[in-house]
Amino acid sequence: MDEVEARKTIVATLEGKKGKSKFYLKDFYAMFPEEKPRTIKNIVNKMVGEGTLEYWSSGSTTLIGLKGVGKQAGAEHED
Amino acid sequence: MAFISSGYDPNEPMKNRITDIGPRHYEDFYPPVIAKNKGKWLYHEILEPGVLVHVAESGDEVYTVRVGGARLMSVTHIREICDIADKYCGGHVRWTTRNNIEFMVDSKDKVAPLKADLASRKFDGGSFKFPIGGTGAGITNIVHTQGWIHCHTPATDASGPVKACMDELFADFQSMRMPAQVRVSLACCLNMCGAVHCSDIAILGYHRKPPMLDHEYLDKMCEIPLAIAACPTAAIKPAKVEINGQKLNTVSINNSRCMFCGNCYTMCPALPLADKEGDGIVIMAGGKVSNRISAPKFSKVVVAFLPNEPPRWPSTTDTIKKIVEAYAAGANKYERLGEWAERIGWERFFERCDLPFTHHLIDDFRDPAYFTWRQTTQFKF
Amino acid sequence: MAKHETPMLDQLESGPWPSFVSDIKQEIAHRKANPNNVELQIPAEVPEDILGVLELSFKHGRTHWKHGGIVGVFGYGGGVIGRYCDQPEMFPGVAHFHTIRVNQPAGKFYSTEFLRKLCDLWEFRGSGITNMHGSTGDIVFLGTHTKQLEEIFFELTHNLNQDLGGSGSNLRTPSDCIGQARCEYACYDTQALCHALTNEYQDELHRPAFPYKFKFKFDGCPNCCVASIARADMSFVGTWRDDIKIDQEAVKAYIGGEIAPNAGAHSGRDWGPFDIQKEVIGLCPTGCMWMEGDKLMIDNRECTRCMHCINVMPRALRIGDDRGLSILVGAKAPILDGAQMGSLLVPFIKAEDPYDEIKEVIEKVWDWWMEEGKNRERLGELIKRQGFQRLLEMTEIEPTPQHVKEPRSNPYIFWKEEEVEGGWQRDVNKFREDHKR
């Protein structure tokens, strides 16, 4: 799979979702039904490392979204 | 208080970054007698409550003095533990799974001075810093969760009830008069970060009121689809309300479907559910994890609700005392609490423990409920 | 003069059990005095604010902490739990106050040198309050400010050679019992396996990989001191498959009352003289023990290794020599569909470095769960939903009677077409040649 294309698909899909900024890994797998979950997981985690995506953890589960997007981003004004 | 950098550069987070190195290697921390005899231990003996000896094939012995600890612990206290370990144990110490601390020495003559020192240390408030005990057929330390000290969905505190209970059970921490070990655990909500569901006695925080709806702020603070998806029973639906002539997006909750888990509050801070009267404690009993004699068992709900009574939770500690005393009086040697309850029958358990039986104790949650009803004419009057 | 009055918490200073309130108060005094002139990176009064918030919760009967999900260290999806106080003006020191999980060493042995370094770091950059340890097993640093998170991670990795633990949809910090380090019952080296798998799966531990949390726990024997069978998605319980070793002289010594039964665990009460018939043979769940004269006999083929006889007579009976472990899968706490105990998947497997066979089982299970698991579905729930047969199929493990407590009591077998002779495609007209409409 072309990783560059995959990144574009991920960003475009997330940008297209209205009213929701955080997603389960499963939602990323669904964007690439032909690919192994492990491959997608690795790309998603790489995109976090590059600063495109960020994690949001409830402590028990982890969600992933575009960095800085969403209603809770910066809600606590700690910066 | 000037900011001192560790060397981390926020503009270049990946510079010199070290990741994925894992924990320190356990062999770095073994006392010499452990490193030498690992895998070659012959037998052990509990010499007295809190003091064990393990004997190796080589003839080496290791003496362990076990002390209780609050798992909530300051660095000052840890440094005091280090001072003791440096003085008596060659700079080594270990923690058990149940928050006890173990000081090990390699000969018998080193035990008495260590014990005397540990037993002599008290906090300014008067409690022991290092009570010796927690072995054999007694009541060892309570494993627990965070509670009000640092959790966002607890239905009770953790450290407070644990302190209150251990004060009441203290004599049995320091003795071994029980028929078998009694494991007490506490989880501050039904999500059970501390898996208490297989404990002889489990103290479980429980909410009883569905979340409140902060309609005016909900759509500003939360992503509605996430709040809806967070609900394990699908009780949350999107809704619209009108406040001050303004139409607002929000959610509605089917209260009768709410199981009070707080998962929606985690995703959406506009759905708070904690409540002074609503929240309290469920007591469960009769679980175990050991495969000894009988298979591992789940704990059963024996008291549906007790109020939160800070600072000392007397209803909770009284109930636990009653169960412990009935068990100590009635069980056979080696019999765990759950095995005793099953032998005498649960109808007898409630009688012996002087606990009321109420409809809340009959399972009505999904399929497994049926298997807990009585499908025989065999029962006791 | 205390910053906040804490009349309710003060009542938890009395009584014999170690008081966390007294302990936090001594930390308050220590930070105020600051005898080593530490350049505290978060305010000295933080522990006072902790007690203050807790007192308010005791008064209100409700928590005053809010959840915060974005904080963490760069590139890691776990190890930091965000926390904010809902009364930041009253308690500014803990307005943002995040938890850090530090991966504990296997077996929880420590050198004081290492512990002191941890303490120094946590006094310098955090609240000075910890959990030793959290429920999963981590060393928990209880509360620091957002700006300190990366600094702490940098110092841990650079100066202490120490990494964070897991949280979220990651592999959670694995934990183990004391094992062979100091226990004669341990059937494999729990520390070695715990450490090896923790390091093998660092990526899964630090970055989300799964539909939900996943826990490994390692118990050296069926006594299950770390409760793996009740709470680990994958539980590794030591066992053996040859004979219990008997020292007949020691058996006599137990019978003669020279050695206290159960390693002296019952010495707090007079249970009468030791009775091997009643206390050991009579309680054996399979009835596979008997006396021949003064010799204890065991029909080892019938033994299910429950540990009772060994626990009662550790000097006379020892675990066998052909040792390994059983793998059970799917344990979890009750949320949501009820609690699940681990179900036996691999009855026996050798635990030998580099543990390739064990890793093969793990990775097959993960592949299936990553593919088929729903969001926030634990492995045990997936097994329930798709069936134990499916688990066996995905792990390529042959079904055996050991996998079940009993065979099914309904005949509703969902036969697959390929299992039925001739398949399912039939010619109805041919059928009608023999059976009129």
Side-chain angles (χ1 to χ4, degrees):
Chain A
M1 183 183 54
D2 184 348
E3 248 190 73
V4 179
E5 279 306 307
R7 278 159 214 258
K8 280 188 194 155
T9 308
I10 288 172
V11 173
T13 313
L14 297 196
E15 281 173 345
K17 304 262 180 182
K18 292 276 168 268
K20 190 174 161 188
S21 71
K22 302 180 190 71
F23 302 85
Y24 288 104
L25 262 180
K26 216 64 209 165
D27 302 321
F28 293 85
Y29 300 163
M31 298 174 202
F32 307 94
E34 304 300 312
E35 292 296 326
K36 284 245 156 237
R38 202 174 287 276
T39 314
I40 304 305
K41 175 208 88 168
N42 289 337
I43 294 176
V44 167
N45 286 334
K46 223 189 265 181
M47 289 173 77
V48 173
E50 293 158 358
T52 319
L53 303 179
E54 73 183 354
Y55 300 126
W56 185 96
S57 171
S58 76
S60 70
T61 38
T62 311
L63 300 169
I64 301 155
L66 290 167
K67 189 168 180 156
V69 176
K71 287 173 190 167
Q72 287 183 29
E76 303 291 342
H77 317 292
E78 67 218 41
D79 292 331
Chain B
M1 188 177 82
F3 178 77
I4 298 173
S5 169
S6 60
Y8 169 76
D9 180 354
N11 298 316
E12 281 188 85
M14 296 311 287
K15 200 172 112 192
N16 289 331
R17 194 170 189 83
I18 299 175
T19 65
D20 300 274
I21 56 172
R24 287 287 296 269
H25 199 282
Y26 52 94
E27 280 175 357
D28 296 352
F29 300 137
Y30 283 154
V33 64
I34 296 291
K36 183 183 161 197
N37 296 291
K38 182 175 176 184
K40 294 175 205 147
W41 296 101
L42 272 182
Y43 65 89
H44 75 285
E45 199 183 332
I46 306 169
L47 300 172
E48 59 184 275
V51 182
L52 304 105
V53 60
H54 288 78
V55 180
E57 289 168 12
S58 65
D60 287 354
E61 296 174 330
V62 61
Y63 290 83
T64 302
V65 181
R66 182 178 293 170
V67 303
R71 80 163 209 180
L72 184 62
M73 194 173 271
S74 73
V75 295
T76 298
H77 194 63
I78 298 172
R79 285 175 178 141
E80 187 168 344
I81 291 167
C82 290
D83 290 342
I84 298 167
D86 283 342
K87 188 169 175 194
Y88 300 95
C89 310
H92 296 275
V93 63
R94 114 167 249 274
W95 268 259
T96 72
T97 303
R98 302 194 72 88
N99 309 324
N100 292 316
I101 306 146
E102 292 187 335
F103 295 94
M104 282 167 252
V105 292
D106 55 12
S107 72
K108 193 166 189 177
D109 55 304
K110 295 177 183 169
V111 174
L114 170 62
K115 269 179 56 191
D117 190 342
L118 289 167
S120 72
R121 294 178 189 243
K122 288 189 167 185
F123 285 111
D124 287 345
S127 63
F128 288 105
K129 282 179 171 171
F130 306 109
I132 299 166
T135 51
I139 302 180
T140 190
N141 205 344
I142 298 177
V143 291
H144 63 91
T145 56
Q146 225 45 292
W148 291 334
I149 196 88
H150 215 210
C151 181
H152 70 292
T153 56
T156 187
D157 186 34
S159 300
V162 165
K163 161 72 174 154
C165 283
M166 286 311 291
D167 278 344
E168 291 294 321
L169 300 172
F170 191 72
D172 284 314
F173 178 78
Q174 296 204 307
S175 71
M176 302 190 288
R177 65 165 182 126
M178 292 290 136
Q181 68 266 45
V182 179
R183 299 279 186 255
V184 186
S185 310
L186 180 147
C188 53
C189 83
L190 88 179
N191 289 296
M192 293 196 198
C193 298
V196 302
H197 58 292
C198 295
S199 307
D200 294 280
I201 298 175
I203 307 163
L204 176 68
Y206 209 84
H207 300 287
R208 296 184 304 166
K209 296 189 185 182
M212 293 174 276
L213 297 154
D214 204 350
H215 286 307
E216 205 178 332
Y217 292 90
L218 198 137
D219 194 32
K220 297 187 188 81
M221 291 163 81
C222 328
E223 297 182 14
I224 288 171
L226 292 173
I228 291 168
C231 180
T233 63
I236 305 180
K237 297 234 154 20
K240 286 195 192 308
V241 288
E242 200 174 306
I243 292 176
N244 304 330
Q246 220 186 342
K247 275 209 157 61
L248 295 171
N249 289 322
T250 183
V251 299
S252 68
I253 295 180
N254 179 347
N255 283 339
S256 63
R257 291 188 74 145
C258 177
M259 65 187 294
F260 320 107
C261 69
N263 289 1
C264 58
Y265 177 65
T266 298
M267 299 309 295
C268 176
L271 296 169
L273 80 164
D275 188 88
K276 189 170 192 168
E277 285 72 36
D279 299 352
I281 280 172
V282 177
I283 303 287
M284 300 173 76
K288 71 180 191 108
V289 294
S290 163
N291 290 274
R292 185 176 184 172
I293 304 178
S294 62
K297 299 179 205 302
F298 295 124
S299 312
K300 280 81 182 165
V301 177
V302 296
V303 179
F305 186 79
L306 294 168
N308 275 325
E309 300 163 320
R312 284 204 164 266
W313 278 266
S315 302
T316 297
T317 57
D318 288 352
T319 302
I320 290 169
K321 280 285 267 194
K322 279 203 291 196
I323 297 171
V324 165
E325 289 308 328
Y327 162 69
N332 295 332
K333 191 177 178 187
Y334 306 114
E335 202 169 44
R336 292 288 289 267
L337 201 147
E339 293 169 327
W340 165 65
E342 284 174 12
R343 176 172 59 81
I344 62 172
W346 284 96
E347 63 271 48
R348 265 309 163 267
F349 171 88
F350 285 93
E351 191 181 294
R352 297 271 183 90
C353 296
D354 187 26
L355 295 173
F357 189 85
T358 70
H359 74 90
H360 292 116
L361 305 180
I362 300 172
D363 196 351
D364 58 359
F365 188 74
R366 303 192 177 179
D367 284 353
Y370 165 81
F371 298 98
T372 66
W373 308 335
R374 194 183 296 271
Q375 283 107 18
T376 169
T377 56
Q378 294 186 23
F379 60 87
K380 294 179 182 177
F381 289 108
Chain C
M1 181 50 203
K3 186 176 171 196
H4 309 287
E5 293 298 315
T6 54
M8 292 175 98
L9 287 171
D10 294 348
Q11 294 177 53
L12 289 175
E13 288 203 87
S14 59
W17 188 251
S19 169
F20 68 96
V21 178
S22 300
D23 189 12
I24 294 176
K25 284 186 177 179
Q26 76 171 0
E27 194 59 30
I28 291 169
H30 174 80
R31 280 175 87 95
K32 269 191 184 158
N34 196 7
N36 304 317
N37 295 314
V38 177
E39 287 249 27
L40 300 174
Q41 296 293 293
I42 70 169
E45 66 264 25
V46 160
E48 290 185 279
D49 281 351
I50 297 177
L51 274 193
V53 179
L54 187 59
E55 178 75 17
L56 196 63
S57 283
F58 271 48
K59 189 173 146 200
H60 289 159
R62 298 183 297 268
T63 191
H64 282 284
W65 295 102
K66 294 191 291 177
H67 179 68
I70 297 166
V71 292
V73 298
F74 189 70
Y76 274 17
V80 177
I81 317 285
R83 279 290 171 267
Y84 300 92
C85 181
D86 71 6
Q87 288 292 353
E89 287 82 19
M90 280 166 86
F91 307 104
V94 298
H96 45 115
F97 200 57
H98 314 304
T99 305
I100 300 177
R101 294 183 181 170
V102 179
N103 194 332
Q104 84 290 356
K108 299 196 181 92
F109 285 90
Y110 292 96
S111 70
T112 54
E113 184 206 355
F114 178 69
L115 278 178
R116 285 182 199 280
K117 281 185 187 162
L118 282 179
C119 289
D120 291 347
L121 173 61
W122 190 233
E123 178 181 359
F124 174 42
R125 296 196 180 275
S127 66
I129 305 299
T130 75
N131 291 147
M132 294 295 281
H133 299 75
S135 304
T136 301
D138 297 280
I139 302 159
V140 175
F141 282 173
L142 204 71
T144 192
H145 292 187
T146 309
K147 205 171 175 192
Q148 293 301 319
L149 295 171
E150 289 287 358
E151 307 295 330
I152 290 165
F153 180 66
F154 195 92
E155 292 214 31
L156 279 173
T157 51
H158 285 76
N159 307 336
L160 276 81
N161 189 23
Q162 171 67 53
D163 210 330
L164 302 186
S167 61
S169 304
N170 301 21
L171 174 64
R172 298 304 182 83
T173 311
S175 71
D176 60 343
C177 71
I178 190 164
Q180 293 181 340
R182 202 199 56 200
C183 181
E184 67 271 25
Y185 302 153
C187 301
Y188 71 98
D189 188 343
T190 51
Q191 266 114 75
L193 183 57
C194 182
H195 189 79
L197 294 184
T198 304
N199 280 300
E200 174 80 15
Y201 298 118
Q202 281 288 296
D203 188 39
E204 284 79 1
L205 199 150
H206 297 304
R207 295 165 199 90
F210 305 126
Y212 203 12
K213 63 179 88 165
F214 194 93
K215 299 183 179 184
F216 286 147
K217 295 202 186 291
F218 306 89
D219 272 309
C221 83
N223 282 328
C224 282
C225 290
V226 294
S228 66
I229 200 167
R231 58 190 185 136
D233 297 273
M234 213 157 194
S235 133
F236 302 83
V237 184
T239 195
W240 68 94
R241 54 183 175 183
D242 55 347
D243 295 353
I244 293 175
K245 292 180 284 189
I246 309 179
D247 176 344
Q248 296 291 355
E249 288 308 309
V251 173
K252 279 183 214 156
Y254 277 104
I255 295 171
E258 293 153 44
I259 309 174
N262 216 116
H266 295 262
S267 65
R269 196 199 292 196
D270 182 9
W271 291 93
F274 176 66
D275 180 345
I276 194 169
Q277 194 62 46
K278 188 174 145 203
E279 296 185 33
V280 180
I281 297 170
L283 291 177
C284 171
T286 63
C288 70
M289 312 178 85
W290 69 99
M291 296 298 293
E292 270 183 30
D294 57 4
K295 279 179 92 174
L296 176 67
M297 309 300 285
I298 300 175
D299 182 356
N300 278 284
R301 216 180 119 70
E302 298 308 310
C303 170
T304 51
R305 303 167 310 286
C306 86
M307 295 299 293
H308 175 65
C309 60
I310 297 177
N311 287 330
V312 175
M313 305 196 294
R315 290 175 75 164
L317 302 177
R318 308 200 66 207
I319 56 172
D321 288 323
D322 185 10
R323 300 170 191 170
L325 55 85
S326 303
I327 303 178
L328 295 93
V329 293
K332 56 180 279 293
I335 186 98
L336 169 71
D337 213 5
Q340 283 179 247
M341 210 67 82
S343 298
L344 182 68
L345 175 63
V346 180
F348 187 89
I349 195 166
K350 283 279 181 188
E352 284 159 5
D353 187 50
Y355 311 108
D356 286 336
E357 274 187 283
I358 291 174
K359 288 175 194 165
E360 207 178 301
V361 178
I362 293 169
E363 285 164 27
K364 282 177 186 163
V365 167
W366 281 352
D367 282 343
W368 175 48
W369 184 46
M370 287 167 77
E371 191 95 40
E372 298 287 336
K374 294 182 185 172
N375 293 329
R376 296 173 60 212
E377 182 175 56
R378 291 284 287 271
L379 176 62
E381 293 162 319
L382 172 63
I383 299 170
K384 256 171 100 172
R385 181 162 61 83
Q386 294 202 346
F388 196 83
Q389 285 97 327
R390 182 81 176 141
L391 170 70
L392 291 176
E393 190 184 324
M394 298 313 289
T395 49
E396 298 173 277
I397 292 170
E398 285 296 313
T400 66
Q402 283 78 9
H403 284 124
V404 295
K405 195 157 57 185
E406 58 189 29
R408 65 195 304 157
S409 47
N410 66 68
Y412 311 138
I413 301 165
F414 286 88
W415 292 97
K416 289 182 187 136
E417 183 173 9
E418 62 270 24
E419 290 179 322
V420 183
E421 296 78 6
W424 290 348
Q425 298 309 314
R426 289 175 288 168
D427 184 349
V428 69
N429 292 323
K430 196 150 184 295
F431 177 82
R432 287 303 171 202
E433 288 171 15
D434 298 328
H435 304 269
K436 292 202 163 62
R437 284 187 180 86

